[in-house]
Structures are given as C-alpha cells and as structure tokens.
C-alpha cells in the first residue's frame, strides 16, 4: 500500500469520527447538572437561587455554565428570559425542573448579541436557567425574566 492510500483512509476515518461526535457543531441542547459553575467561579452542588424580585441579576461567565433557580414568578404564565449586556458569546438555556432536563426554550445567538426566549407556562412559578460560556469568551451579562 502506498502512503497516499493510507492517508486517504485515515482521513476518511477521522471524518467519520468527527461526524459521529458532531465535531465543530455548536452545542444545541441544554447540559445537565454534572458540573455546577456559579458566577463567583466556585463549584457547588446547587444552582444560585434568585427571587423574581432580585431580577435583573448582573453576573459574569467564563468557560462553563452558570446555573440559576428562579423562584417567585407568576404561576401558569409564559415568561420571557433574556441574557443581555454581553461583550462575547454566551448562550441561554431555560429548563423547567430541578434536574435541568425539562427543556423549555433556548437562544444561541452568536457573539455579543442578546439572547432571549419565551418559556411556556410553568405551574410551579419557577425556572431553571443555564448561561453557557465558551472558552476565551469571558463576559459579563444581565439575566432578566419578565
């Protein structure tokens, strides 16, 4: 076998593995709660709980996820959730339950554009929010719900 044929086969294998792993594709679904990263940079087993009256909330995100449990929202009412004031890319994911698995809505606009989505009504009057930061994109943000 000549060197060109071996390189072509390895290139094909690498492409197949890349496609299986969705390499180069931006994350489109919410993460789970395996690694909590809070705005102060600390790691904990719980998200930060915010009362609706504490919003808007100013924070910052680096590579990783800031988790928030927002309580005291009107029950059975759709809620707009937004992350604004960013200087770099960070994505917004809104979930409806404590294990961060019940997907409600998301916004993954690129760059410093504001991210906003409409969450369906929740009987509990609470939301679980992820602000996902990318490596090298340290950015402040403002989280708000209305």
């Amino acid at each position: 076998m000549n060197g060109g044929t071996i390189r072509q086969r390895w290139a094909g294998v690498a492409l197949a593995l890349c496609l299986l792993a969705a390499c180069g594709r931006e994350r489109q679904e919410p993460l789970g709660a395996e690694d909590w990263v809070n705005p102060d940079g600390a790691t904990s087993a719980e998200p930060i709980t915010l009362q609706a009256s504490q919003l808007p909330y100013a924070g910052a995100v680096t590579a990783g996820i800031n988790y928030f449990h927002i309580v005291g929202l009107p029950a059975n009412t759709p809620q707009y959730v937004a992350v604004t004031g960013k200087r770099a890319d960070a994505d917004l994911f809104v979930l409806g339950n404590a294990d961060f698995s019940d997907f409600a809505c998301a916004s993954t606009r690129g760059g410093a554009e504001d991210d906003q989505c409409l969450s369906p009504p929740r009987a509990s009057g609470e939301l679980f929010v992820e602000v996902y930061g990318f490596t090298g994109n340290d950015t402040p943000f403002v989280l708000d719900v209305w």
Side-chain angles (χ1 to χ4, degrees):
M1 221 187 266
N2 65 35
T5 303
I6 292 172
R7 275 193 291 273
Q8 289 171 340
R9 285 189 182 169
W10 278 113
V13 169
L15 176 61
L17 291 174
C18 183
L19 291 174
L20 287 173
C23 93
R25 191 177 81 195
E26 204 171 295
R27 189 176 83 95
Q28 295 298 315
E29 64 276 338
L31 293 181
E34 315 75 50
D35 298 307
W36 305 95
V37 180
N38 291 320
D40 62 1
T43 301
S44 72
E46 298 294 326
I48 291 177
T49 299
L50 296 173
Q51 294 289 329
S53 61
Q54 294 176 287
L55 298 170
Y57 174 85
V61 65
T62 59
I65 304 169
N66 292 351
Y67 292 88
F68 300 94
H69 177 201
I70 301 171
V71 298
L73 298 167
N76 299 312
T77 304
Q79 300 290 321
Y80 281 99
V81 182
V83 175
T84 61
K86 301 180 299 176
R87 291 193 302 245
D89 193 16
D91 291 338
L92 169 67
F93 298 93
V94 180
L95 299 305
N97 62 4
D99 66 2
F100 285 81
S101 63
D102 181 20
F103 180 79
C105 68
S107 177
T108 58
R109 293 180 156 208
E113 289 186 58
D114 292 347
D115 283 290
Q116 174 182 313
C117 68
L118 178 61
S119 177
R122 299 288 174 185
S124 65
E126 63 185 346
L127 292 173
F128 296 85
V129 176
E130 297 179 359
V131 178
Y132 181 84
F134 298 91
T135 301
N137 284 354
D138 300 353
T139 185
F141 66 85
V142 175
L143 171 64
D144 203 1
V145 178
W146 67 96

